[in-house]
């Protein structure tokens, strides 16, 4: 019994000691928090934004005393600033004050802010936008903003009027969106003019003894553009060195076989040896232009391009790429490439702009000069930061109008902000396989996405939460 009482006494002492330690620790944390908060408010914000200086007087009209946050804490910056809630957890930030010019917003992926009175906008990443979870019911002051720079195959529903017009603000590859990302894969003018990787024409002619005139590097096989069918047919008329998983007939060195190596010096050096590269996008949409187009221009290789129908608007010069759309059949394209391969004067006409460092396309120059974001440039904000601030600024514009007793301005996405035609397939030769599981999928998938878009719009307009069963019942309703 004495032993047991002694154990109880020691346990009680330990509990008291632990409690005192926790209270002291908590007090230290609180004081450190206050210090860090004061230091934060007087220092530069994350991502190079300017420090919080004098706050506008109207800011405090949104303060509410003793209001609780979703975490049960008393009012803080979440009651002082509009909340921008990333419904798709793209940034991974649980909470950050962002300075956007004179405006400040609180950015978070924490969905417990769904019903917070200061939540003004929901930000969506297109690939993750789905029916399983939407912030409904949608209040009149809730703006929806879409960020989607990727291929339509990632989420076809977005590319139809019923869905794209659900959003107030957009940042897409289309030049017509509120924040165009058309040049998202191009660092700037200097890389286009750079001669760093340019292999002299005479050296390329010598390399032709062991290299094909054309190179093809793709590992995403049979996408909606059906590019592999075209290349397969083209290979019957002209030699093509294909390094990727698609139609591969040549191997890269082992260290370069990882897809992540496609932006390395070693890979660039190999591709730069070729005269031409097949630069085929995985989808055909206006302004959907990826590194497949810009990379060869940077390396001094002539792109044979298939993809965006509006590509002519983005060429560095009138003669800097060969456009597949101008040839009625792969055999005609092959004949033209052979002609350029044998005639140095004709070939050099396609790289003259690079040799002279002269870009004549004023639209391209203007787009690069006026865009508000940078690519791989630590001195500029990235396009996600700029997207966030675009939404933040527009929300604040409406708050200022509201304070003046004026109606808010309603922004709305248009069909041109994200649209692609229905995929098509090539059918050149009876020897080429007409269908496989992937080729057979894209057209029906696109057609069904129209029904999905209509069903989703009806359910969202109803402004109530809905189940997956309700959604699919509408999609397949006769």
């Amino acid at each position: 019994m004495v032993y047991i009482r002694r154990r109880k006494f020691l346990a009680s002492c330990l509990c008291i000691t632990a409690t005192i330690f926790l209270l002291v620790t908590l007090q230290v944390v609180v004081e450190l928090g206050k210090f860090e908060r004061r230091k934060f408010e007087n220092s530069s914000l994350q991502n190079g934004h300017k420090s919080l200086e004098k706050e506008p007087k109207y800011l405090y009209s949104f303060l509410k005393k003793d209001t609780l946050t979703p975490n049960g804490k008393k009012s803080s910056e979440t009651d002082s600033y509009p909340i921008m809630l990333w419904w798709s957890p793209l940034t991974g930030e649980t909470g950050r004050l962002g300075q956007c010019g004179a405006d400040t917003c609180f950015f978070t992926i924490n969905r417990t802010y769904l019903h917070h009175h200061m939540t003004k906008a929901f930000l969506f990443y297109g690939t993750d936008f789905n029916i399983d979870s939407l912030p409904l019911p949608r209040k009149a002051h809730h703006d929806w903003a879409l960020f989607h720079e990727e291929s339509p195959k990632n989420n076809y529903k977005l590319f139809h009027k019923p869905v794209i017009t659900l959003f107030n603000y957009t940042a897409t590859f289309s030049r017509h969106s509120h924040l165009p990302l058309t040049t998202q894969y191009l660092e700037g003018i200097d890389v286009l003019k750079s001669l760093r990787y340019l292999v002299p024409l005479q050296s390329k002619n010598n390399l032709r003894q062991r290299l094909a005139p054309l190179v093809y590097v793709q590992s995403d096989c049979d996408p909606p553009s059906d590019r592999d069918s075209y290349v397969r047919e083209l290979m019957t008329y002209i030699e093509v060195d294909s390094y990727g998983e698609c139609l591969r007939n040549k191997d890269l060195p082992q260290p370069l076989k990882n897809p992540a190596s496609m932006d390395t010096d070693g890979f660039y050096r190999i591709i730069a040896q070729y005269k031409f590269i097949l630069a085929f996008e995985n989808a055909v949409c206006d302004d959907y232009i990826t590194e497949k187009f810009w990379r060869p221009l940077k390396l001094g290789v002539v792109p044979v391009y298939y993809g965006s129908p509006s590509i002519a608007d983005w060429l560095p010069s009138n003669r800097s790429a060969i456009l597949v759309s101008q040839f009625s059949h792969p055999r005609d394209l092959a004949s033209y490439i052979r002609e350029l391969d044998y005639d140095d004067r004709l070939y050099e006409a396609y790289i003259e702009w690079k040799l002279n460092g002269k870009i004549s396309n004023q639209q391209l120059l203007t787009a690069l000069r006026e865009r508000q974001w940078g690519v791989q440039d630590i001195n500029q904000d990235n396009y996600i930061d700029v997207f966030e601030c675009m939404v933040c600024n527009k929300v604040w514009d409406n708050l200022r109008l509201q304070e003046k007793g004026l109606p808010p301005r309603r922004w709305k996405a248009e069909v041109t902000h994200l649209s692609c035609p229905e995929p098509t397939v090539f059918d050149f030769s009876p020897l080429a396989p007409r269908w496989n599981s992937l080729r057979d999928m894209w057209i029906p998938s696109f057609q069904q996405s129209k029904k999905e878009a209509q069903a989703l719009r009806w359910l969202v307009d109803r402004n109530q939460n809905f189940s997956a069963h309700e959604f699919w019942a509408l999609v397949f309703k006769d």
Side-chain angles (χ1 to χ4, degrees):
M1 290 296 292
V2 172
Y3 175 77
I4 294 174
R5 284 197 297 271
R6 185 177 299 168
R7 288 288 301 272
K8 288 184 178 180
F9 175 77
L10 289 174
S12 299
C13 291
L14 286 173
C15 289
I16 293 171
T17 302
T19 302
I20 294 172
F21 175 79
L22 287 174
L23 289 173
V24 172
T25 302
L26 180 60
Q27 183 63 30
V28 170
V29 170
V30 169
E31 291 303 318
L32 282 174
K34 290 178 180 179
F35 172 77
E36 289 297 321
R37 173 71 183 278
R38 287 194 298 270
K39 185 171 71 172
F40 174 82
E41 291 177 344
N42 291 288
S43 64
S44 296
L45 286 172
Q46 185 175 333
N47 295 330
H49 293 312
K50 294 181 181 178
S51 60
L52 286 172
E53 298 175 353
K54 186 176 181 180
E55 295 170 341
K57 291 181 180 179
Y58 51 74
L59 193 62
Y60 296 100
S61 64
F62 301 107
L63 288 172
K64 288 190 177 182
K65 294 182 180 180
D66 299 327
T67 303
L68 295 181
T69 69
N71 295 322
K73 298 179 181 179
K74 288 190 176 181
S75 61
S76 61
E77 57 266 13
T78 56
D79 288 305
S80 306
Y81 306 102
I83 297 171
M84 310 287 107
L85 176 52
W86 271 102
W87 202 247
S88 311
L90 182 64
T91 64
E93 293 177 328
T94 55
R96 171 180 62 86
L97 275 180
Q99 190 74 24
C100 300
D103 299 328
T104 307
C105 289
F106 182 76
F107 297 94
T108 182
I109 64 169
N110 188 345
R111 291 191 177 187
T112 59
Y113 286 101
L114 170 61
H115 300 297
H116 196 283
H117 70 282
M118 287 302 292
T119 298
K120 303 297 181 182
F122 293 87
L123 282 54
F124 299 87
Y125 183 56
T127 298
D128 299 330
F129 181 83
N130 58 66
I131 65 157
D132 296 331
S133 174
L134 291 175
L136 296 174
R138 182 178 181 179
K139 296 179 181 178
H141 64 274
H142 282 170
D143 288 335
W144 285 14
L146 174 69
F147 183 95
H148 190 56
E149 87 291 20
E150 293 192 333
S151 170
K153 72 173 189 171
N154 290 33
N155 199 339
Y156 267 137
K157 288 190 295 295
L158 295 170
F159 290 77
H160 302 294
K161 182 178 180 179
V163 174
I164 188 60
T165 54
L166 282 171
F167 300 96
N168 302 97
Y169 317 115
T170 61
T172 75
F173 55 73
S174 170
R175 74 184 80 181
H176 302 294
S177 71
H178 294 121
L179 181 65
L181 305 175
T182 315
T183 59
Q184 62 181 303
Y185 291 98
L186 179 59
E187 296 92 331
I189 293 297
D190 291 343
V191 296
L192 288 177
K193 294 181 178 181
S194 173
L195 302 179
R196 176 182 177 184
Y197 292 100
L198 181 69
V199 175
L201 180 55
Q202 188 55 52
S203 297
K204 290 191 177 187
N205 285 335
N206 294 334
L207 288 165
R208 279 284 288 107
Q209 297 177 26
R210 61 180 179 84
L211 299 179
L214 279 160
V215 63
Y216 185 58
V217 188
Q218 292 297 339
S219 293
D220 178 13
C221 306
D222 293 307
S225 65
D226 200 29
R227 61 190 173 198
D228 294 328
S229 294
Y230 192 100
V231 176
R232 184 183 293 107
E233 180 69 11
L234 182 66
M235 283 175 159
T236 65
Y237 301 100
I238 192 169
E239 187 181 1
V240 178
D241 285 345
S242 181
Y243 289 97
E245 292 301 315
C246 312
L247 308 176
R248 185 176 69 227
N249 58 21
K250 205 173 183 72
D251 289 325
L252 288 167
Q254 188 62 40
L256 298 179
K257 288 185 177 181
N258 189 316
S261 69
M262 294 186 72
D263 279 318
T264 62
D265 184 82
F267 180 77
Y268 286 176
R269 299 284 179 191
I270 291 176
I271 300 304
Q273 299 177 99
Y274 287 86
K275 287 186 173 182
F276 308 91
I277 186 170
L278 293 170
F280 284 35
E281 306 287 8
N282 64 30
V284 178
C285 310
D286 276 339
D287 297 338
Y288 178 60
I289 305 166
T290 71
E291 77 287 347
K292 296 173 186 65
F293 175 69
W294 301 117
R295 183 188 291 136
L297 294 176
K298 293 188 289 185
L299 301 180
V301 181
V302 178
V304 180
Y305 183 79
Y306 179 69
S308 170
S310 58
I311 191 63
D313 293 342
W314 303 100
L315 298 177
S317 73
N318 289 336
R319 184 165 288 194
S320 51
I322 297 169
L323 306 184
V324 171
S325 59
Q326 295 179 349
F327 298 87
S328 59
H329 193 277
R331 75 168 71 89
D332 301 321
L333 174 61
S335 177
Y336 184 66
I337 291 174
R338 277 198 302 271
E339 183 181 0
L340 297 183
D341 184 29
Y342 296 144
D343 191 322
D344 288 352
R345 181 182 58 84
L346 292 178
Y347 178 82
E348 284 182 326
Y350 280 91
I351 58 172
E352 184 179 0
W353 68 273
K354 190 171 184 71
L355 295 173
N356 296 335
K358 185 177 181 180
I359 296 175
S360 58
N361 186 339
Q362 292 304 311
Q363 176 170 307
L364 175 60
L365 292 170
T366 300
L368 291 172
R369 182 176 62 252
E370 294 183 352
R371 70 185 185 186
Q372 304 166 38
W373 41 271
V375 179
Q376 299 178 14
D377 186 349
I378 60 174
N379 297 314
Q380 291 183 284
D381 290 332
N382 62 55
Y383 46 37
I384 296 177
D385 291 333
V386 175
F387 169 68
E388 289 182 334
C389 278
M390 175 187 73
V391 180
C392 175
N393 292 148
K394 291 186 183 302
V395 166
W396 267 110
D397 287 344
N398 277 339
L399 290 175
R400 285 186 277 267
L401 287 174
Q402 181 181 343
E403 190 175 63
K404 295 176 182 178
L406 299 173
R409 181 177 181 184
R410 302 310 299 170
W411 293 77
K412 186 177 180 181
E414 304 290 341
V415 175
T416 55
H417 289 203
L418 199 63
S419 63
C420 292
E422 181 174 307
T424 58
V425 295
F426 297 108
D427 187 15
F428 298 112
S429 169
L431 298 178
R434 293 177 57 86
W435 295 104
N436 63 31
S437 59
L438 279 178
R439 286 187 74 205
D440 202 19
M441 177 181 74
W442 297 117
I443 294 176
S445 176
F446 184 89
Q447 292 171 343
Q448 179 176 307
S449 70
K450 293 180 181 179
K451 298 178 181 179
E452 292 178 15
Q454 292 169 350
L456 182 60
R457 182 56 185 254
W458 187 88
L459 289 167
V460 172
D461 284 347
R462 190 182 63 171
N463 210 23
Q464 299 175 15
N465 288 309
F466 58 88
S467 65
H469 175 76
E470 288 179 275
F471 172 77
W472 292 113
L474 272 179
V475 171
F476 295 109
K477 184 180 179 180
D478 293 334

